[in-house]
Amino acid sequence: MGRAPCCDKASVKRGPWSPEEDEQLRSYVQLNGIGGNWIALPQKAGLNRCGKSCRLRWLNYLRPNIKHGGYTDEEDRIIWSLYSSIGSRWSIIASKLPGRTDNDVKNYWNTKLKKKAMAASSSGAAFAAPATPALSPASSCVTSSSSGDVRLGAAYTEPPPPRQHAGLVRSDAPRTELAPVPAVAHLDGACWPAAAALDVLLPELGGEQLFPYGYGDFFGGLQDRALEQQLSSCYFPNVAEIWGAAAVAPDGKPPGLCNRLT
DNA sequence: AAGATGTACAACCGCCACAGT
DNA sequence: CACTGTGGCGGTTGTACATCT
């Protein structure tokens, strides 16, 4: 027997929000806050909506300082770089783009950016918007060996397969909260080149601009450098493979990386 | 002009993790 | 320790609008 739904779908309104509903929710939240319980909020706010629907509406559209559309080249590059490395973990990607929401980034990727990246890839051109100081095409190259022009950002590649939710970075979590450390620690000699990706990828993605609390910030405030490196080798498997392929013999490529986070 | 098709994006769905009891 | 409620997440769907034929 499955769980009871969070609300009675037959009795609550569904579909697009009206301006009146938006205003009702906005004014309630601004006046009273969320109150720590989205499920109870609609009743308190006098809205005939599911709590989850209210939460989504607030987080994605009504919250202050939300940006819609008008993605910059820099944002394109950040999304693409992170997607290539960590896959469809939209909440993490969105958390590095001020004013953007995971839903918005996800939609943007699925409808526009993915096609752009694939088109660039199929044409043989680098997916590279005009260079920016923070992340120019040249600087995002991870040219790693004399034989191979292995470049981060050179072509669209399928991202890692989706992972199960791991609660990596909760948007409301304090910065000191540590991300869970994978149960399988594999920072052995063979895997080490992969871990070094952290030192390259994160600065390429904007360095202190995007990770003002240090690179450990990417992992939710991690302060331990060794743990950061272990995590990086799990969370950036594509980049890890690039580094691994460059650093070891082709048939000595570190196997496995992290298949699971927990 | 009208129907078909494509695109963009808001919203929903179902699952998982976690905290509280 | 098991159970329950809730928040959060990514995948998917629905629909309005634009473009094409």
Side-chain angles (χ1 to χ4, degrees):
Chain A
M1 181 171 141
R3 302 178 45 155
C6 65
C7 49
D8 182 0
K9 290 172 186 170
S11 64
V12 298
K13 186 183 173 193
R14 303 169 69 190
W17 282 64
S18 68
E20 291 76 23
E21 287 176 309
D22 280 348
E23 187 50 41
Q24 213 171 336
L25 177 58
R26 183 186 290 111
S27 59
Y28 179 85
V29 172
Q30 286 176 346
L31 204 63
N32 305 286
I34 294 161
N37 190 341
W38 280 109
I39 302 300
L41 187 143
Q43 194 176 11
K44 294 177 185 172
L47 284 160
N48 185 28
R49 287 278 184 174
C50 178
K52 274 194 165 187
S53 180
C54 292
R55 174 184 166 272
L56 200 69
R57 187 67 186 170
W58 171 258
L59 292 178
N60 286 338
Y61 302 98
L62 301 178
R63 202 162 38 121
N65 305 320
I66 292 290
K67 288 190 285 186
H68 283 108
Y71 279 81
T72 65
D73 293 339
E74 178 71 5
E75 287 174 313
D76 283 2
R77 202 191 310 278
I78 290 169
I79 293 167
W80 180 81
S81 295
L82 283 172
Y83 184 85
S84 297
S85 297
I86 65 177
S88 56
R89 273 168 278 185
W90 303 114
S91 60
I92 295 175
I93 296 172
S95 72
K96 300 307 170 192
L97 298 169
R100 304 294 187 188
T101 68
D102 53 356
N103 205 41
D104 203 37
V105 172
K106 176 174 60 182
N107 280 332
Y108 180 59
W109 171 264
N110 285 332
T111 58
K112 294 179 185 172
L113 202 53
K114 185 174 184 178
K115 291 170 192 167
K116 189 176 172 183
M118 292 181 84
S121 177
S122 63
S123 70
F127 173 68
T132 61
L135 196 66
S136 67
S139 71
S140 59
C141 289
V142 184
T143 305
S144 53
S145 69
S146 57
S147 60
D149 181 20
V150 183
R151 295 194 306 153
L152 175 64
Y156 172 78
T157 54
E158 284 300 320
R163 291 184 168 81
Q164 292 185 341
H165 300 155
L168 300 179
V169 181
R170 298 169 66 109
S171 60
D172 56 348
R175 291 196 177 275
T176 52
E177 183 178 88
L178 298 188
V181 178
V184 180
H186 59 276
L187 191 65
D188 53 28
C191 200
W192 169 247
L198 179 72
D199 290 324
V200 173
L201 177 65
L202 296 185
E204 298 293 352
L205 293 177
E208 292 182 0
Q209 276 189 310
L210 291 175
F211 307 99
Y213 295 84
Y215 301 148
D217 182 53
F218 192 87
F219 298 116
L222 200 59
Q223 299 300 313
D224 185 308
R225 187 65 174 162
L227 283 177
E228 284 178 23
Q229 289 168 333
Q230 286 186 42
L231 286 165
S232 76
S233 66
C234 297
Y235 291 8
F236 304 112
N238 277 14
V239 178
E241 285 178 11
I242 290 169
W243 274 80
V248 303
D251 57 350
K253 180 174 162 293
L257 299 175
C258 285
N259 295 321
R260 297 169 56 84
L261 295 175
T262 55

